[in-house]
Amino acid sequence: SFKLDMRIGLFDSGIGGFSVLKKVIELCPDNSFIYLADTARLPYGVKTTNEIKKIAEEISSWFNYQKIDAFLVACNTTNAIALDILKNNLDVPVFDLIGSVASTIKESRVGVLATPSTVKTKAYTNAILEFKPKTFVIEQPCPEFVPMIEMDNINSDEITDVATGYLQPLLKQKIHSLILGCSHYPLITPLLTEILPSGVKLIDPAESLSLKLKLFMDSKTNNFSKKKKLVDLKFYVTSNLKNFPQKAKHWLDVFPEVNLVSLQKKGWVS
Ligand code: DGL
């Protein structure tokens, strides 16, 4: 008989966290995942610090009712602005993107693509410099990417032009690697790869996060009797319930159970 190891919670403003979920499932199957998409307030990336902090409070309160064993911050904007709030409010181990990837950066010239609110914090620059103080880091805000990716406008001349414009200042600075500092951006990896010179390495922070989670899981569970890889997925959205199963099908090839939830209401049942 098979038993899933853990209940893992993760969230994003929308479908961005799918890129994290995908990487995590590859490395850590045999778990049950609870994915919250705060679609009512998408996009997060142009919100103020106070707005993101309030969102982090609400999201962590909601997840405290979901009886999870571990939590993944699948949104860089919240990661950059309100990681401490999430960590303080949740009583389970919290795995974040920025903290996981920062120590793994080897290149001396690094570009970061992120939302305007993330770039304002300089969280990526600061986290990288903590480990390698001599690294040159250039951060580029990409306000147009998230709305385009959410609307599935990812194969157009329009997004190619937008992406080319965002990458230009970074390429001028001769970056050796490019961090995808918003979880929506790995969803347009084919487009970015096409524009980038072949010498520039693309870095998806979800890979480092998955590795950290795997180490943690290996220390907690025994995987000896596992033959099959099982995954259980549950999705929650704060609006647009009808569109979400199709999006999950498109990006993750699953038709999950999706529920509508209000984060403001208290007294949730799990
Ligand atoms: N995908 C999230 C991030 O990583 C939020 C993007 C947004 O809603 O603007 O920053």
Side-chain angles (χ1 to χ4, degrees):
S1 76
F2 302 106
K3 195 183 150 293
L4 294 169
D5 290 330
M6 289 190 186
R7 272 164 74 87
I8 299 174
L10 73 166
F11 82 100
D12 180 50
S13 58
I15 61 171
F18 286 177
S19 70
V20 179
L21 182 57
K22 241 182 149 159
K23 284 270 183 289
V24 168
I25 289 175
E26 270 170 38
L27 217 56
C28 311
D30 304 311
N31 289 297
S32 144
F33 294 90
I34 298 174
Y35 185 107
L36 172 65
D38 189 8
T39 44
R41 289 184 286 198
L42 179 131
Y44 280 180
V46 288
K47 289 195 172 3
T48 64
T49 300
N50 281 340
E51 285 171 317
I52 296 295
K53 284 184 173 170
K54 185 165 176 284
I55 285 170
E57 299 268 0
E58 290 176 3
I59 282 177
S60 43
S61 305
W62 185 78
F63 270 106
N64 272 331
Y65 279 82
Q66 303 305 316
K67 299 198 169 56
I68 52 171
D69 305 301
F71 184 77
L72 318 179
V73 186
C75 164
N76 288 273
T77 307
T78 319
N79 193 158
I81 293 173
L83 181 62
D84 52 338
I85 293 178
L86 296 170
K87 281 189 170 167
N88 285 340
N89 289 359
L90 289 158
D91 40 25
V92 296
V94 172
F95 297 84
D96 76 312
L97 293 161
I98 302 173
S100 299
V101 77
S103 60
T104 71
I105 303 299
K106 302 278 181 293
E107 296 76 24
S108 56
R109 302 186 72 79
V110 182
V112 180
L113 299 181
T115 66
S117 300
T118 298
V119 169
K120 261 185 214 149
T121 67
K122 289 271 170 280
Y124 267 100
T125 302
N126 295 336
I128 293 166
L129 293 186
E130 227 174 89
F131 293 95
K132 279 189 69 192
K134 288 190 185 131
T135 316
F136 169 82
V137 186
I138 173 171
E139 301 197 27
Q140 170 68 42
C142 310
E144 294 187 70
F145 272 166
V146 167
M148 286 176 146
I149 294 166
E150 285 285 340
M151 283 163 52
D152 208 26
N153 176 9
I154 58 170
N155 290 308
S156 60
D157 289 346
E158 196 191 357
I159 196 165
T160 306
D161 289 349
V162 166
T164 307
Y166 289 153
L167 288 172
Q168 202 187 13
L170 282 61
L171 295 177
K172 236 188 198 160
Q173 291 296 334
K174 304 259 179 278
I175 54 165
H176 305 145
S177 62
L178 179 67
I179 300 176
L180 303 180
C182 166
S183 54
H184 279 78
Y185 304 170
L187 302 177
I188 54 165
T189 296
L191 170 74
L192 297 172
T193 311
E194 212 171 282
I195 302 171
L196 282 175
S198 57
V200 178
K201 181 179 152 200
L202 264 190
I203 298 175
D204 178 355
E207 293 193 7
S208 310
L209 183 152
S210 311
L211 279 170
K212 274 208 170 172
L213 181 68
K214 170 123 177 68
L215 283 177
F216 171 75
M217 305 240 359
D218 289 350
S219 73
K220 295 277 172 209
T221 56
N222 103 49
N223 290 304
F224 298 124
S225 58
K226 297 271 168 58
K227 290 188 195 78
K228 251 192 225 161
K229 300 290 179 206
L230 296 178
V231 178
D232 174 52
L233 300 173
K234 253 192 207 88
F235 290 80
Y236 293 85
V237 294
T238 54
S239 74
N240 292 321
L241 180 63
K242 286 212 183 85
N243 304 336
F244 212 76
Q246 194 51 47
K247 291 188 173 206
K249 170 78 187 136
H250 177 68
W251 290 107
L252 300 165
D253 202 25
V254 291
F255 254 121
E257 178 190 328
V258 185
N259 301 291
L260 189 65
V261 66
S262 160
L263 297 179
Q264 284 77 36
K265 178 183 84 196
K266 298 284 159 173
W268 305 281
V269 278
S270 50

